[in-house]
Structure formats: C-alpha cells, structure tokens
Amino acid sequence: MVIKNAHVLINGKLERLDIRILNGYINSLSKSIVPSDGEEVIDFSGKIITPGFVNTHTHVGMSVLRGYAEDIPFNTWLFERILPAEERLTPEAIYYGSLVSMMEMASHGVVAFCDMYFHEEMVAQAVADFGMKAVITRGLVDSNGDDNGRLDENIKLYEKWHGYDDRIYVGLGPHAPYSCSREYLMRILDIAKTNDMLVTMHFFENTWEYDRYSPEEIINLGFDKVHFIPVHCTQLKTEHLDLLKSSYPSINTVSNMKLGNGMPRIMDMLRKNIKITIGTDGPASNNSQNVLFDLRTSILSQKMRAPENFNTFEAFNAITKNGYEALRLLGGEIAVGMPADLVIFNSNHIQLQPKHKFLENLIHSFTDSVYATMVNGKFIYIDGKYPTIDAEEVLSKFSIFSKKVTGIES
Ligand code: NI
C-alpha cells in the first residue's frame, strides 16, 4: 500500500511525504513514491498522519459498568459497588465490553493498551478480532496464600496468547500490594524474571496503603529488577521517586480526580527523567477511554501551578514513544522499519486550526474523533466506521450484557 500526499508528523514538525507500507511495516518514506503495478494507493491529500497513541492502564471489560457507581467515596465505589457487580460478569460480558472500549479508543487514535482484569482470555479474543495491540494481564489477588488459580490462569494465558500476530503480549498483573501477600508478590516476580514478563500493578493510589508497608519495601521485593508499569503513584512522595527510575509510571489523572485519590508528582517525575506514560483506568472510574483527554487533564493539573510545566514535547512523548517503550512494543514514531500504527486527521478540522500549529492544537484543543486509526497497516477505524467488526451487533449485545451485570432487567 502507498499513502500519497499526506502531511506526516516527524520530530514535532509536519512534512509532505508519501509512505509505503509493506507487511504491516513502514517500508519507505519519501517526497514521492511511485506505486508498483497492483499496489493499493490511498490519496491522503488534506490529511495529517501521526504515530498511534498508547493507553498504559485500563480494564477494558469494565465498559459494561460505565456510569454504574458515581459520586461516592473510593472505598464505597470499590468494595460496595464494583466488586459485587464484578461477581456477575460473564466471559461474554467481558468480550463485548472489551470491544466497546476498543471502539472508543480507536476512534481517538489509540492503537495499543495495557489491561488488567479477569476473563482475560476474552479480552485477548476481542483484541485478536478487533485488530488492536495489547499487553494483557490477569488481575492477581491472593488471600492467605490462596489465589484461586489466578496465577496459573495468567501463565496459561501467556502460553496461549503471548506474541499472537505481533499484536498481543501477556504480562503479570498483581492487583495491588494491599491485595497480594509479600510471598505471593515474590512468586509473581520470580515468574516474571524467569519468563522475562512485563509486570503492572496499582501502586500507592491511597494514603491508607502506608499503614501496611512502605514503597521501598514493595519495590525492594524485586520490582526494580523487572519491566514494571506502576499505576497511579498518587501517594508517593518526592523521596520515593528514585525507586521508579527504571519503571514506566502510568499516570491516570482523570480517574484519580474522579475518585478523590489525589495527584501524582508528575513534574518531579519529569525532572528525574522518569518516563511517564498515560492511562485512562477502566471505564467505571474515568469514564472515557480517550487517552488524549487524560493527557490534557494531566497537563492542566501541572500548568495550574506554573504554565511552563509539562510541555508539548513531553506530553506527546508520554502517549507515543514512552507508551510503546512501556508496553515493550516497537514503534512510537513514523520512520522506516517501524510498524504502520498510524492516526490520520482531517487537516481542515476546525479544532486543528491554524494548521501550522498542529501539535499544539492536538494536545490542547482537539476533542473530536480522529479520521482514521491504523494498526500494522490495517484500518481499525475509518471515517466513523469499524471495518473489522459488525458495530451494530456489538453494541446491541453489549447493551444486553451491561443490563445483566448492573442488575437492570432487559
Ligand atoms: Ni486500575
């Protein structure tokens, strides 16, 4: 496939370039590419192309619970509303919930995400069918050393799905230090080291976590020796941030604000050259899966103290290069040899004017759906449509399962 006449975002600047895509990768990139006989040609005059965006923390299946628990404190939200409703989740509900979250993400330029939940085999199936990229992890929780087979499930998931179609990878997802015993965390870390698996965990989201342990105690179990995405980090103090030097914190500002869990020390992390990334968290606590909205909220939360904080370059990196690195995927920029994970915008979109300030407009102004999103050279969203699925059927099944899970008779 050859894309002609597009304006391509490279190092923050737009360049008029043609792109040849071969076997899902960017094969060449130059002012003028002459298509070979039989090669598909797409004219993207009037379009702007950027690298795809990455959402480093979510629970995609939770879209069936969107709007279900609002305006209540975190502990009530989690222990009295979400956990009981989760008892009613079925594999089918997770499958359709995952598809709906991915539809929303794709319409906002997200090409890859990191997930932690249960029935993850259905999340994997949904990712396989939809065409996105993901690192999936089984949420791991134990009680007095008994985890009900969750870790075995996570390992089976790894054996079955890790590396599928160069799109699906499996990591380990200890839920949080407060829901896992020390011994269990050490077992998980051992498995992560042996198999070189990514680990992600909710980390110091609440002040009461300090009653049980310190951040040092947890990291020193070995989280600094594995590829680690700590999520939230809202309650970490500046002196703890050196513990995260080799990790990729997932900043979930919207979820943190909505559930009253405070703000992570984003500027301190940036000053320490910690590679921050952006996550939406699940649709039951955000409630959107539009990572650009999370990015913008995170930026504004820092600029309210000083407008030079969290600049455009740092912001774009957080959802592109850092996100890819966090998920251990190749990509994050438009260059030869990179996968064709692309987001396409209409350059005439009113929120992207003036055209010569594209990146600033994308970060601070654009709220709409993108024109198209491509993963490994295939469109997963284009001009309001989802070519890989029957959107109408997905939404109708989703609605049935959402009503079942939330206890509303259909
Ligand atoms: Ni979460």
Side-chain angles (χ1 to χ4, degrees):
M1 177 197 291
V2 175
I3 294 175
K4 299 283 294 177
N5 306 317
H7 282 81
V8 182
L9 188 74
I10 294 180
N11 296 326
K13 297 267 180 293
L14 291 179
E15 288 182 43
R16 233 283 299 121
L17 290 170
D18 292 350
I19 305 174
R20 171 172 278 127
I21 297 169
L22 198 64
N23 301 324
Y25 288 84
I26 297 172
N27 174 267
S28 58
L29 195 63
S30 74
K31 291 274 175 224
S32 179
I33 296 174
V34 181
S36 325
D37 281 350
E39 201 167 23
E40 186 186 349
V41 179
I42 302 180
D43 185 2
F44 270 167
S45 305
K47 300 281 192 282
I48 291 169
I49 302 185
T50 75
F53 309 147
V54 179
N55 177 1
T56 55
H57 180 71
T58 183
H59 315 276
V60 283
M62 289 184 92
S63 57
V64 289
L65 292 169
R66 173 141 63 185
Y68 172 66
E70 302 291 323
D71 308 322
I72 45 179
F74 178 81
N75 286 359
T76 319
W77 176 85
L78 181 61
F79 297 108
E80 291 176 33
R81 297 286 286 168
I82 297 298
L83 292 181
E86 284 179 337
E87 295 290 316
R88 297 190 289 272
L89 280 172
T90 57
E92 292 83 1
I94 296 289
Y95 179 76
Y96 288 102
S98 302
L99 282 177
V100 165
S101 287
M102 281 190 280
M103 288 163 78
E104 186 187 0
M105 285 195 274
S107 72
H108 290 291
V110 174
V111 296
F113 64 97
C114 184
D115 199 71
M116 176 209 289
Y117 212 45
F118 45 94
H119 297 307
E120 283 288 326
E121 72 285 356
M122 299 310 282
V123 179
Q125 191 59 58
V127 176
D129 295 347
F130 190 74
M132 219 175 226
K133 293 183 180 179
V135 174
I136 56 174
T137 69
R138 170 59 163 106
L140 301 171
V141 171
D142 80 323
S143 170
N144 302 321
D146 181 10
D147 81 342
N148 256 328
R150 292 182 180 99
L151 191 48
D152 287 345
E153 224 183 277
N154 203 145
I155 291 163
K156 281 199 188 95
L157 198 66
Y158 174 80
E159 287 164 353
K160 182 168 177 198
W161 289 100
H162 190 71
Y164 174 90
D165 196 27
D166 283 339
R167 292 193 289 115
I168 301 177
Y169 298 91
V170 178
L172 292 158
H175 172 263
Y178 61 81
S179 46
C180 297
S181 64
R182 280 327 81 88
E183 297 68 32
Y184 190 49
L185 288 175
M186 285 166 74
R187 239 172 84 205
I188 292 167
L189 287 167
D190 262 353
I191 293 167
K193 281 179 213 155
T194 309
N195 298 296
D196 190 25
M197 290 169 83
L198 176 158
V199 181
T200 186
M201 176 170 70
H202 297 112
F203 195 60
F204 283 83
E205 183 180 10
N206 293 283
T207 46
W208 48 257
E209 293 180 46
Y210 280 97
D211 299 343
R212 308 178 186 204
Y213 38 73
S214 69
E216 289 90 342
E217 280 173 73
I218 301 300
I219 294 291
N220 289 339
L221 292 175
F223 283 92
D224 53 346
K225 304 281 189 306
V226 296
H227 189 97
F228 181 41
I229 304 177
V231 180
H232 299 305
C233 306
T234 34
Q235 302 305 329
L236 292 182
K237 299 174 180 129
T238 308
E239 64 263 31
H240 299 132
L241 298 181
D242 283 337
L243 295 166
L244 303 184
K245 279 250 155 164
S246 61
S247 73
Y248 298 85
S250 178
I251 305 295
N252 293 199
T253 307
V254 175
S255 167
N256 299 148
M257 289 174 80
K258 190 159 184 280
L259 293 174
N261 285 330
M263 296 293 302
R265 294 174 187 270
I266 295 174
M267 287 318 297
D268 288 345
M269 289 184 193
L270 286 170
R271 284 185 194 115
K272 285 178 180 289
N273 293 319
I274 295 171
K275 291 179 175 172
I276 63 164
T277 68
I278 305 291
T280 55
D281 212 352
S285 62
N286 180 311
N287 304 350
S288 157
Q289 296 291 285
N290 176 1
V291 81
L292 261 186
F293 179 71
D294 286 77
L295 178 66
R296 188 171 306 142
T297 311
S298 303
I299 296 169
L300 295 176
S301 75
Q302 303 307 301
K303 288 198 181 295
M304 66 185 266
R305 299 192 182 98
E308 61 272 29
N309 280 351
F310 208 172
N311 66 42
T312 305
F313 172 78
E314 292 164 332
F316 193 65
N317 252 356
I319 56 165
T320 52
K321 279 186 185 169
N322 291 359
Y324 271 87
E325 221 177 286
L327 267 54
R328 295 208 292 195
L329 299 171
L330 178 67
E333 59 180 324
I334 297 177
V336 171
M338 291 292 166
D341 296 348
L342 309 176
V343 192
I344 298 105
F345 297 85
N346 276 320
S347 65
N348 279 339
H349 194 290
I350 201 69
Q351 292 176 323
L352 295 174
Q353 309 308 312
K355 289 186 176 67
H356 57 273
K357 284 290 169 193
F358 171 75
L359 192 54
E360 291 78 358
N361 293 334
L362 175 71
I363 301 290
H364 286 292
S365 158
F366 191 76
T367 56
D368 208 349
S369 297
V370 302
Y371 172 71
T373 302
M374 176 187 273
V375 175
N376 283 355
K378 292 187 183 128
F379 288 110
I380 55 169
Y381 175 78
I382 182 161
D383 203 10
K385 298 199 168 53
Y386 299 91
T388 55
I389 53 159
D390 180 340
E392 217 172 294
E393 195 204 328
V394 169
L395 290 180
S396 121
K397 293 256 174 66
F398 168 82
S399 174
I400 294 167
F401 288 113
S402 175
K403 283 175 181 168
K404 276 190 184 157
V405 172
T406 50
I408 299 169
E409 289 303 316
S410 54

